[in-house]
Amino acid sequence: MTVNLEVTNLVKKFGKFEALKGINLELNAGEVLGYIGPNGAGKSTTIRSILGILKPTSGSIKVFGKDAFDNAAEIHKRISYIPGTVYLWPNLTGGETIDMLLALSNQKHTAKTDQLIQDFHLDITKKNRDYSKGNLQKVALVATFSTDADLYIFDEPTSGLDPLNEDIFQQKLLDLKHENKSILLSSHILSEVERAADRIAVINDGQIIQSGTLEELQNVASSEVEVSTKVVADKLATFAGVTNLAEIKANSYSFKIKIAALEPVMTYLTGLGIINLSIQRPSLDELFLKYYNVKEVK
Ligand code: ADP
Ligand code: MG
């Protein structure tokens, strides 16, 4: 396994203000890491540190095994990055801009570039000053995806995209992943990283408050089960992890449970004979709110 990015105990202070309070992240080849947190959490500060734009106050950042700040120029040759807000030359057309961005990273306009322009349905003949926010974002996305790199960093890339283009964006991420690239994808909306991310790190107030696979994160909250059985299920309440149990009608029940605790309950219910069953996993946005409440709960 190739580790392309390793952030260890990263602390970043702006004057007295500690924006990052000891961040740890790891990203391997062929992996998408979702970096989730509300506005002001520290996502862009982390990314700008990884890019070597900001010097860490303490801790270390290794990109391709090398210190991110000391070797920024060399590392940049293998990184493709798109910032959250895109500012592009107002008088260039979209097409000229794409070629300019590619040239700036020593890249050429290839068949892949044309394919991306087509897939994102981008009219490249307009001037940047005439594009909508979403189209301007597509100009930058085409250049970012078209760039041949090993580490792709997207900082809130889909804020201006409509659902159709969001979908194309997600497909392009999966393509990169299958090409064994590393992708760091930041967002303040969980559903934006849910599809592509292998692992998710949740940042709040400069600290990673949770990280793991989607399944691991989902196990922090309970799923909602509704079940109808052939005979009365009077032992349901005795199982560990069953909460909010209610009998909807005769032999029909609803309850909450974490997926990890579900198996013995299912064995019991199967023994009784299941007539109907639905399991609603917790939505990520629900989890997100739960995480954000951590601070208030403490
Ligand atoms: P996010 O990208 O998650 O929205 P940022 O990383 O941009 O958050 O910001 C994290 C915190 O650091 C915020 O409180 C922000 O105001 C502060 N911050 C970011 N950059 C600077 C800077 N150059 N000087 C002072 N404070 C900064
Ligand atoms: Mg940001």
mmCIF file of all heavy atoms in Angstrom, residues 14 17 19 38-45 48, ligand 1:
data_model
loop_
_atom_site.group_PDB
_atom_site.id
_atom_site.type_symbol
_atom_site.label_atom_id
_atom_site.label_comp_id
_atom_site.label_asym_id
_atom_site.label_seq_id
_atom_site.Cartn_x
_atom_site.Cartn_y
_atom_site.Cartn_z
ATOM 1 N N PHE A 14 -2.741 30.962 13.924
ATOM 2 C CA PHE A 14 -2.683 32.288 13.318
ATOM 3 C C PHE A 14 -2.604 33.266 14.488
ATOM 4 O O PHE A 14 -3.616 33.499 15.150
ATOM 5 C CB PHE A 14 -3.930 32.572 12.474
ATOM 6 C CG PHE A 14 -4.078 31.656 11.284
ATOM 7 C CD1 PHE A 14 -5.071 30.683 11.255
ATOM 8 C CD2 PHE A 14 -3.228 31.769 10.185
ATOM 9 C CE1 PHE A 14 -5.211 29.850 10.149
ATOM 10 C CE2 PHE A 14 -3.364 30.946 9.084
ATOM 11 C CZ PHE A 14 -4.353 29.978 9.064
ATOM 12 N N PHE A 17 -4.568 32.487 17.776
ATOM 13 C CA PHE A 17 -5.699 31.610 17.456
ATOM 14 C C PHE A 17 -5.214 30.274 16.891
ATOM 15 O O PHE A 17 -4.478 30.222 15.902
ATOM 16 C CB PHE A 17 -6.617 32.302 16.452
ATOM 17 C CG PHE A 17 -7.729 31.424 15.951
ATOM 18 C CD1 PHE A 17 -8.743 31.013 16.814
ATOM 19 C CD2 PHE A 17 -7.757 31.005 14.628
ATOM 20 C CE1 PHE A 17 -9.769 30.194 16.356
ATOM 21 C CE2 PHE A 17 -8.782 30.187 14.170
ATOM 22 C CZ PHE A 17 -9.781 29.790 15.031
ATOM 23 N N ALA A 19 -6.012 27.381 14.835
ATOM 24 C CA ALA A 19 -7.000 26.937 13.839
ATOM 25 C C ALA A 19 -7.011 25.416 13.713
ATOM 26 O O ALA A 19 -8.056 24.805 13.479
ATOM 27 C CB ALA A 19 -6.705 27.576 12.487
ATOM 28 N N PRO A 38 -18.053 21.788 9.303
ATOM 29 C CA PRO A 38 -18.782 23.029 9.028
ATOM 30 C C PRO A 38 -17.836 24.148 8.614
ATOM 31 O O PRO A 38 -16.615 24.022 8.753
ATOM 32 C CB PRO A 38 -19.466 23.346 10.355
ATOM 33 C CG PRO A 38 -18.627 22.684 11.388
ATOM 34 C CD PRO A 38 -18.047 21.464 10.743
ATOM 35 N N ASN A 39 -18.375 25.235 8.118
ATOM 36 C CA ASN A 39 -17.557 26.391 7.746
ATOM 37 C C ASN A 39 -16.734 26.851 8.943
ATOM 38 O O ASN A 39 -17.245 26.932 10.054
ATOM 39 C CB ASN A 39 -18.450 27.546 7.269
ATOM 40 C CG ASN A 39 -19.128 27.202 5.950
ATOM 41 O OD1 ASN A 39 -18.575 26.469 5.136
ATOM 42 N ND2 ASN A 39 -20.326 27.703 5.751
ATOM 43 N N GLY A 40 -15.466 27.102 8.686
ATOM 44 C CA GLY A 40 -14.593 27.579 9.751
ATOM 45 C C GLY A 40 -13.968 26.467 10.585
ATOM 46 O O GLY A 40 -13.222 26.730 11.532
ATOM 47 N N ALA A 41 -14.225 25.201 10.224
ATOM 48 C CA ALA A 41 -13.717 24.072 11.015
ATOM 49 C C ALA A 41 -12.206 23.910 10.877
ATOM 50 O O ALA A 41 -11.525 23.432 11.784
ATOM 51 C CB ALA A 41 -14.413 22.783 10.592
ATOM 52 N N GLY A 42 -11.672 24.288 9.702
ATOM 53 C CA GLY A 42 -10.236 24.131 9.481
ATOM 54 C C GLY A 42 -9.877 23.315 8.249
ATOM 55 O O GLY A 42 -8.712 22.962 8.045
ATOM 56 N N LYS A 43 -10.846 23.034 7.388
ATOM 57 C CA LYS A 43 -10.596 22.210 6.197
ATOM 58 C C LYS A 43 -9.592 22.881 5.258
ATOM 59 O O LYS A 43 -8.600 22.279 4.858
ATOM 60 C CB LYS A 43 -11.915 21.939 5.440
ATOM 61 C CG LYS A 43 -12.977 21.255 6.273
ATOM 62 C CD LYS A 43 -14.250 20.994 5.484
ATOM 63 C CE LYS A 43 -14.950 22.253 4.994
ATOM 64 N NZ LYS A 43 -15.485 23.114 6.077
ATOM 65 N N SER A 44 -9.875 24.141 4.895
ATOM 66 C CA SER A 44 -8.989 24.818 3.946
ATOM 67 C C SER A 44 -7.608 25.066 4.547
ATOM 68 O O SER A 44 -6.595 25.005 3.828
ATOM 69 C CB SER A 44 -9.604 26.139 3.486
ATOM 70 O OG SER A 44 -10.819 25.892 2.811
ATOM 71 N N THR A 45 -7.551 25.333 5.827
ATOM 72 C CA THR A 45 -6.251 25.521 6.484
ATOM 73 C C THR A 45 -5.432 24.229 6.402
ATOM 74 O O THR A 45 -4.227 24.267 6.132
ATOM 75 C CB THR A 45 -6.455 25.952 7.954
ATOM 76 O OG1 THR A 45 -7.231 27.152 7.960
ATOM 77 C CG2 THR A 45 -5.139 26.197 8.651
ATOM 78 N N ARG A 48 -4.324 23.931 2.713
ATOM 79 C CA ARG A 48 -3.265 24.880 2.359
ATOM 80 C C ARG A 48 -1.942 24.499 3.012
ATOM 81 O O ARG A 48 -0.862 24.782 2.474
ATOM 82 C CB ARG A 48 -3.697 26.302 2.708
ATOM 83 C CG ARG A 48 -4.820 26.788 1.767
ATOM 84 C CD ARG A 48 -5.537 28.012 2.264
ATOM 85 N NE ARG A 48 -4.683 29.184 2.203
ATOM 86 C CZ ARG A 48 -4.711 30.163 3.098
ATOM 87 N NH1 ARG A 48 -5.530 30.104 4.125
ATOM 88 N NH2 ARG A 48 -3.905 31.183 2.966
HETATM 89 P P1 ADP B 1 -13.019 25.781 6.557
HETATM 90 O O1 ADP B 1 -12.248 25.659 5.295
HETATM 91 O O2 ADP B 1 -13.263 24.493 7.243
HETATM 92 O O3 ADP B 1 -14.292 26.549 6.367
HETATM 93 P P2 ADP B 1 -10.751 27.422 7.359
HETATM 94 O O4 ADP B 1 -9.648 26.434 7.358
HETATM 95 O O5 ADP B 1 -10.862 28.327 6.203
HETATM 96 O O6 ADP B 1 -12.137 26.633 7.595
HETATM 97 O O7 ADP B 1 -10.653 28.325 8.675
HETATM 98 C C1 ADP B 1 -10.443 27.756 9.961
HETATM 99 C C2 ADP B 1 -10.339 28.869 10.964
HETATM 100 O O8 ADP B 1 -9.106 29.549 10.786
HETATM 101 C C3 ADP B 1 -11.419 29.923 10.845
HETATM 102 O O9 ADP B 1 -11.767 30.363 12.133
HETATM 103 C C4 ADP B 1 -10.743 31.015 10.041
HETATM 104 O O10 ADP B 1 -11.306 32.273 10.341
HETATM 105 C C5 ADP B 1 -9.323 30.919 10.541
HETATM 106 N N1 ADP B 1 -8.332 31.354 9.526
HETATM 107 C C6 ADP B 1 -8.143 30.806 8.317
HETATM 108 N N2 ADP B 1 -7.147 31.411 7.642
HETATM 109 C C7 ADP B 1 -6.696 32.394 8.458
HETATM 110 C C8 ADP B 1 -5.665 33.401 8.357
HETATM 111 N N3 ADP B 1 -4.896 33.492 7.257
HETATM 112 N N4 ADP B 1 -5.505 34.230 9.396
HETATM 113 C C9 ADP B 1 -6.274 34.132 10.498
HETATM 114 N N5 ADP B 1 -7.245 33.219 10.681
HETATM 115 C C10 ADP B 1 -7.464 32.351 9.669
#
